[in-house]
Amino acid sequence: MVFIQSFLLKSFKKPLRYSLRGRFLDTLRLTVKGGHGGNGLPKYGGAGGQGGAVYFVAKDGTSLRDVVAKFSNKRIVAGNGEESSKARILGRRGTDQRVEVPLGIRVLDDLEGTVVGELDEEGKSCLAAGGGSGGCSGNSFLGKAGQLRTLTLDLKLIADVGLVGFPNAGKSTLVKAVSRASPKIASYPFTTIRPQIATIEYEDYRQITIADLPGLIEGAHANYGMGHKFLKHVERTRLLLIIVDVFGFQLSPRHQTRNCLETIYALNKELELYDETLLDKPCALVINKMDQQGAIEEICKYDRYFQSLEDGLDLCPEELKPSKLLTIDSVIPISARSMTEVEKVKQEVRTILDLKAEEEQQRIENSDREANLREKLHERGPKVV
């Protein structure tokens, strides 16, 4: 009997590596060490080579899983500097380690709690661990040890649009409708369990990226549900696309049902409690599932409050009331399933992003103009009357 039980366990129990294979990796902790400086040669006054350094370099198309595959022990060490010798008085520098990491990585020092670097552009790099200096007359010809640090690579997806909503609001269905992505779609909560980036393509070859993110739940700001693993990916998007079910949301029979308007306030509250600055982003509101019976009557109850959330605060339960409100630039009722008004979503997203880009460019030009004027006035000096 014991033999049979042992055989069954070995036959049907999945190895850990298989159960983790499909998980999305957006945080990685690494130990990095710069190379040791080479020793000098006192007899000839020779200097040892500088130890190599460890750099992180942003590379499009790379994932944190690629980093783990290359450094399975999660330890990265640069080469040691060459020691001085009669044949080579000046020792050669140790080999640097240049580690390619995904775009959107924030490098954090675990011990000091500081940000080492933000790698949000292709080719951008940061020094992770410096090499030790080579031995010379100034340090008794003894090479110094390289920098040793424990760093966390924290990935925040970079996309033009971040899709925000509670589970089963139709986020994945919308992404599939506006792009060529094929996300998993089903009629139960938490279908999306890891962030995905899709691309909206236009006839004039313009492309806009959209992040399909796991559904929030109340308490996400405090790391309930997907919590911070979701919300941190909203930080680097340029536009929030809020999507809600016209009939509201209920996580389970144990939870309170929230109508359409209350759902918007609940999402607003979660974003505010996580990072108030997220509410400064431009925002479009998509009311989904308009193809269902009774949808028109339901949306008519609340539509006058959508673009002026302040007017509807009296209808909001006290526990959901945010202190700072979203500014909604556009409201789009759709049916993602039947593709109704989906084309309008694509056009509104583009219009809002283009308008905001123009405003930002105008602000920069005005700022430069004012700076140039101040510089000219400073060069002229005070006017003598």
Side-chain angles (χ1 to χ4, degrees):
M1 187 68 178
V2 173
F3 171 78
I4 294 173
Q5 288 176 338
S6 175
F7 173 78
L8 289 173
L9 283 171
K10 289 179 181 178
S11 300
F12 296 105
K13 186 177 180 181
K14 288 185 179 180
L16 181 61
R17 62 179 179 275
Y18 292 115
S19 63
L20 294 177
R21 182 175 289 172
R23 289 178 56 188
F24 177 73
L25 187 63
D26 57 3
T27 300
L28 180 63
R29 196 163 181 250
L30 297 169
T31 300
V32 294
K33 187 176 186 300
H36 199 291
N39 291 327
L41 190 62
K43 185 176 180 180
Y44 298 100
Q50 172 87 14
V54 179
Y55 296 92
F56 292 133
V57 184
K59 175 72 174 177
D60 194 18
T62 304
S63 71
L64 287 180
R65 289 204 172 276
D66 295 332
V67 179
V68 173
K70 189 173 181 180
F71 303 97
S72 56
N73 62 353
K74 300 180 183 178
R75 182 177 175 84
I76 303 170
V77 182
N80 295 330
E82 183 183 43
E83 295 194 353
S84 176
S85 65
K86 288 190 293 183
R88 186 179 293 277
I89 296 298
L90 298 178
R92 286 176 289 202
R93 177 185 171 88
T95 305
D96 291 337
Q97 279 276 21
R98 299 183 69 84
V99 184
E100 293 181 347
V101 298
L103 289 175
I105 284 290
R106 172 178 288 178
V107 185
L108 304 168
D109 188 305
D110 285 9
L111 181 62
E112 298 179 4
T114 55
V115 177
V116 177
E118 296 270 6
L119 305 180
D120 50 9
E121 296 177 11
E122 175 78 18
K124 193 172 181 180
S125 65
C126 75
L127 176 65
S133 58
C136 60
S137 58
N139 57 15
S140 303
F141 296 96
L142 296 176
K144 302 298 182 183
Q147 190 176 16
L148 176 63
R149 304 169 95 175
T150 300
L151 302 177
T152 295
L153 305 186
D154 191 32
L155 174 63
K156 296 179 182 178
L157 296 179
I158 300 175
D160 297 309
V161 181
L163 202 49
V164 179
F166 284 129
N168 209 28
K171 296 186 299 299
S172 297
T173 306
L174 178 60
V175 168
K176 185 177 181 180
V178 299
S179 71
R180 295 180 180 178
S182 300
K184 185 178 179 183
I185 298 170
S187 59
Y188 53 84
F190 302 112
T191 309
T192 303
I193 59 173
R194 58 183 181 182
Q196 303 178 73
I197 296 288
T199 303
I200 305 174
E201 298 182 351
Y202 297 85
E203 291 182 0
D204 61 355
Y205 304 107
R206 170 76 182 277
Q207 293 186 338
I208 291 175
T209 52
I210 181 169
D212 179 19
L213 303 162
L216 286 176
I217 63 172
E218 290 181 42
H221 69 278
N223 217 18
Y224 287 101
M226 301 302 285
H228 295 167
K229 288 181 71 65
F230 160 82
L231 285 166
K232 70 178 183 179
H233 293 298
V234 181
E235 293 180 35
R236 281 187 169 145
T237 57
R238 296 196 293 140
L239 167 68
L240 299 181
L241 190 59
I242 307 289
I243 181 168
V244 297
D245 186 328
V246 67
F247 295 103
F249 173 68
Q250 183 182 25
L251 182 61
S252 75
R254 298 187 296 107
H255 294 82
Q256 187 173 348
T257 301
R258 304 295 189 188
N259 63 41
C260 179
L261 184 61
E262 291 172 346
T263 301
I264 296 168
Y265 286 124
L267 290 168
N268 190 147
K269 183 80 170 178
E270 292 304 325
L271 292 171
E272 177 191 33
L273 291 173
Y274 176 74
D275 183 355
E276 189 176 298
T277 61
L278 294 177
L279 304 179
D280 297 327
K281 293 179 182 289
C283 172
L285 173 64
V286 173
I287 310 294
N288 193 23
K289 305 187 182 180
M290 291 301 298
D291 57 323
Q292 297 186 16
Q293 187 175 358
I296 300 295
E297 293 79 5
E298 194 68 21
I299 197 173
C300 286
K301 296 178 184 177
Y302 312 110
D303 63 342
R304 62 183 178 276
Y305 303 119
F306 292 153
Q307 287 188 317
S308 181
L309 293 177
E310 189 173 355
D311 295 341
L313 281 175
D314 290 340
L315 303 176
C316 179
E318 198 62 37
E319 68 273 16
L320 298 182
K321 281 187 179 178
S323 301
K324 183 177 179 179
L325 294 169
L326 287 161
T327 300
I328 297 174
D329 297 286
S330 180
V331 180
I332 318 160
I334 70 163
S335 170
R337 179 181 293 180
S338 64
M339 302 286 286
T340 306
E341 297 293 341
V342 166
E343 192 62 32
K344 188 175 181 181
V345 175
K346 294 174 64 174
Q347 295 308 319
E348 283 294 311
V349 162
R350 178 173 182 166
T351 299
I352 294 171
L353 286 174
D354 287 349
L355 285 173
K356 297 301 178 182
E358 288 176 13
E359 290 175 7
E360 180 64 18
Q361 183 62 33
Q362 188 64 44
R363 186 190 64 78
I364 293 172
E365 290 176 0
N366 291 340
S367 178
D368 291 343
R369 195 177 296 114
E370 290 175 6
N372 290 335
L373 181 59
R374 284 195 298 269
E375 187 176 343
K376 288 179 180 178
L377 290 172
H378 179 72
E379 289 174 355
R380 282 176 56 188
K383 184 176 180 181
V384 179
V385 181

